[in-house]
């Protein structure tokens, strides 16, 4: 299970290595340089917050939310049950939301 997870993560990073901001995504032509910079910073902040999560939460989020696997596929990769994957997703998303909110407050993006 760990080998399958690591293979997926390594492949994802290899596929996206060196891509400029916005590549592979819908790009809004009205966006200026400051918006592109902010998007790049936010991507790094999200990645940092994701890496700070416990492995069980991070792996579920990476497989389902980033890798777009369904619950059953993720459960097979993680050698777990669908219920455990859903629980880890719920907990991981809540922790990620809290970390990103705290970061946004520290950057004065929100009150």
């Amino acid at each position: 299970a760990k080998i399958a997870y690591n293979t997926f993560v390594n492949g994802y990073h290899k596929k996206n290595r060196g891509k400029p901001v916005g590549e592979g995504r819908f790009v809004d032509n009205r966006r200026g340089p400051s918006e592109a910079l902010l998007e790049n910073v936010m991507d790094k902040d999200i990645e940092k917050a994701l890496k700070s999560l416990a492995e069980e939460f991070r792996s579920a989020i990476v497989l389902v939310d980033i890798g777009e696997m369904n619950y059953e596929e993720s459960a097979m990769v993680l050698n777990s049950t669908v219920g455990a994957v859903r629980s880890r997703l719920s907990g991981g998303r809540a922790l990620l939301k809290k970390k990103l909110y705290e970061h946004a407050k520290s950057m004065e993006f929100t009150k």
Side-chain angles (χ1 to χ4, degrees):
K2 186 70 173 167
I3 293 171
Y5 170 76
N6 287 337
T7 301
F8 169 79
V9 171
N10 291 339
Y12 177 83
H13 287 296
K14 185 176 183 180
K15 183 176 95 178
N16 292 302
R17 187 176 298 134
K19 280 189 178 180
V21 173
E23 186 174 315
R25 297 185 231 161
F26 175 78
V27 178
D28 184 354
N29 292 330
R30 298 171 294 180
R31 224 176 41 173
S34 61
E35 288 85 3
L37 176 64
L38 181 60
E39 182 178 304
N40 190 31
V41 168
M42 291 305 291
D43 285 347
K44 289 179 182 177
D45 293 337
I46 292 169
E47 185 176 348
K48 183 179 176 184
L50 190 58
K51 286 181 178 180
S52 73
L53 294 178
E55 177 66 26
E56 65 182 10
F57 296 127
R58 181 174 57 247
S59 58
I61 289 173
V62 167
L63 293 174
V64 175
D65 292 337
I66 298 171
E68 299 179 351
M69 287 186 174
N70 62 39
Y71 296 138
E72 291 80 15
E73 294 168 330
S74 298
M76 285 177 33
V77 169
L78 297 172
N79 195 26
S80 184
T81 65
V82 171
V85 170
R86 288 181 178 183
S87 176
R88 291 173 185 169
L89 276 171
S90 178
R93 288 171 178 161
L95 289 170
L96 193 58
K97 179 180 176 181
K98 182 179 178 184
K99 288 176 185 293
L100 292 173
Y101 178 75
E102 290 169 359
H103 179 70
K105 276 180 61 175
S106 73
M107 298 294 290
E108 298 181 357
F109 290 138
T110 189
K111 293 183 180 183

